[in-house]
Amino acid sequence: MTHPNPKTMGQQFGRRSWAEPWKIKMVEPLRVITRAERERALQDAGYNTFLLKSDDVYIDLLTDSGTNAMSDRQWAGMMLGDEAYAGSRNFYHLEDAMRKYYGYKHLVPTHQGRGAEHILSKVAIKDGQYVGGNMYFTTTRLHQELAGGTFVDVIIDEAHDPANLHPFKGNVDLNKVQKLIDEVGAQNIAYISLAATVNMAGGQPVSMANARALRELCSQHGIRVFLDATRAVENAFFIQEREADYQNKSLAEILHEFCSYTDGATMSAKKDSLANIGGWLALNDDVLFEEASNMVVVYEGLHTYGGMAGRDMEALAIGIVESVQDDHMRARIGQVRYLGELLTDWEIPIVRPVGGHAIFLDARAFYPHIPQDDFPAQTLAAELYLDSGIRSMERGIVSAGRNAKTGDHNRPKLELTRLTIPRRVYTQAHMDVVAESVKAVYDQRAKTRGLKMVFEPKYLRFFQARFERL
Ligand code: F0G
């Protein structure tokens, strides 16, 4: 499959090159500490990049979550915060934006994505039920399990292969959904959890045709579909680029249609929506909404703020509008691809096709001599920090946690280190520096040994686990 080369992407529009549709008004200084200081910082952090101090980091590619640069409009919106406990004007702006662009009926605000996942899991899963999903996400699956559900992966097999060039590697395998229905019965399936894009697969998209077909299958059996809309606008970009009949549709139109095949959504607004905090749960069903808006007052805050300040809801409402602009998304994904192209040119193993929010280094191929139980992706994240102060994140065996029943490690096929690109934050020169550091670590790969885990928390262990060098 061929993709437009990001370095020459603008040429098709009759220009020599392309650039971001914004300029920079305010800057934040960066600092690089010495290698000796990095060695100490890494040891203090137990070789876990989540435990590093941000001041000790040079280019921070830990996550695209809450790390976005807001626009001048969003900052202006912050000054219009209506900090009322109840009925804040900013809530209604957010509700309008969600209804207009995502198209759902009811909005339940939450402090961030996992707040919405918690509430959805509690209201929509009965103890002992199954939840099908196109690959797990850490917090999503944990909330499903804590609510008594059992997660079943129903993503297409291609998603588990870092080198497979399927254009919609996030697609649901409908045969796997059918098999689940046949095995456990539709009444024992709480819902299908559809993520677009699929973070753990490499930011891989779901096609419109797949979402539509999933809707049809689930409707035949009375099963609901809930979308993880965290990066659904990025997903819309891939539909526009790769799916017949969508080339001339706007991202906003594509997003709206995509959401229409689902019954509601959870949202981490810290990603697509260009905000630093926030989230929501959207529901079409009146009864579920009643229950969810009752539960939100227990866990998050009143149903017109859900843990967010008025100003944050305003920034988020504006961010939604900015996120669906086609030129914004072209630059956002163009930058991720630029980094991907540099690494591919140097034959460094990454997940391909390059997805929406990050480059995922294939740590198995990077360190074929390090067994998965010695944490190759965690090792790679540590080595990269040591080389240059660049912070990345493990997305492999540590993130996958343990099997809830057997207690053994879950051993995912994908053992990845994620270089996550915050939106509107870093420049092309930063991407060059990142690529050069990855290359330097790659050139020393034969000398690198793995890690052992010396502290393991019970839940979401990747956040706080500690390691030592072998
Ligand atoms: N769903 C997806 C697909 C996510 O990527 C995240 C967060 C969440 C839900 C949870 O949202 O953090 O607002 O509670 N992902 C971040 C990441 C943490 O780095 O990928 P949250």
Side-chain angles (χ1 to χ4, degrees), residues 50 62-66 111-117 137-140 195-200 228-231 266-271 277-279 357 393 395 418 420 462-463:
F50 279 103
L62 182 70
T63 178
D64 63 329
S65 182
H111 77 284
Q112 61 183 76
R114 68 199 73 179
E117 292 168 349
F137 184 72
T138 53
T139 57
T140 320
T197 60
V198 182
N199 189 353
M200 301 301 274
D228 181 338
T230 296
R231 298 183 186 83
T266 54
M267 178 69 181
S268 171
K270 305 167 73 174
K271 282 85 164 177
I277 192 71
H357 66 299
M393 181 194 290
R395 296 274 83 157
R418 189 180 74 173
T420 337
F462 56 94
F463 284 131

Side-chain angles (χ1 to χ4, degrees), residues 410-422:
N410 289 317
R411 290 190 181 75
K413 284 200 184 127
L414 296 177
E415 178 69 24
L416 310 173
T417 305
R418 189 180 74 173
L419 303 166
T420 337
I421 314 299

Side-chain angles (χ1 to χ4, degrees), residues 102-118:
Y102 291 84
Y104 300 109
K105 191 169 169 194
H106 301 294
L107 179 74
V108 182
T110 61
H111 77 284
Q112 61 183 76
R114 68 199 73 179
E117 292 168 349
H118 174 212

Side-chain angles (χ1 to χ4, degrees), residues 71 109 114 162 177 268 286 373 416 460:
S71 67
R114 68 199 73 179
V177 178
S268 171
D286 297 336
D373 282 22
L416 310 173
L460 302 174

Side-chain angles (χ1 to χ4, degrees), residues 4-44:
N5 177 347
K7 289 176 221 160
T8 56
M9 218 157 77
Q11 288 172 5
Q12 71 202 61
F13 309 112
R15 286 185 279 118
R16 278 195 294 271
S17 197
W18 65 279
E20 289 78 2
W22 38 260
K23 58 183 175 174
I24 298 166
K25 180 155 14 198
M26 193 185 284
V27 299
E28 190 180 337
L30 291 176
R31 191 172 76 105
V32 205
I33 59 175
T34 64
R35 189 177 171 102
E37 288 169 324
R38 290 200 294 275
E39 183 79 62
R40 201 171 324 119
L42 194 59
Q43 267 175 30
D44 289 349

Side-chain angles (χ1 to χ4, degrees), residues 282-342:
L283 294 163
N284 287 338
D285 184 279
D286 297 336
V287 177
L288 269 189
F289 169 65
E290 271 299 323
E291 280 179 50
S293 56
N294 190 211
M295 196 153 294
V296 80
V297 302
V298 181
Y299 292 106
E300 300 280 318
L302 198 76
H303 56 279
T304 53
Y305 77 85
M308 284 181 281
R311 56 180 171 269
D312 293 324
M313 292 190 281
E314 191 63 28
L316 177 44
I318 297 167
I320 289 175
V321 182
E322 292 181 2
S323 74
V324 299
Q325 304 307 313
D326 292 61
D327 58 353
H328 156 68
M329 198 50 83
R330 193 157 54 231
R332 190 286 185 275
I333 293 182
Q335 184 179 44
V336 177
R337 280 186 186 168
Y338 174 81
L339 177 57
E341 291 281 331
L342 290 177

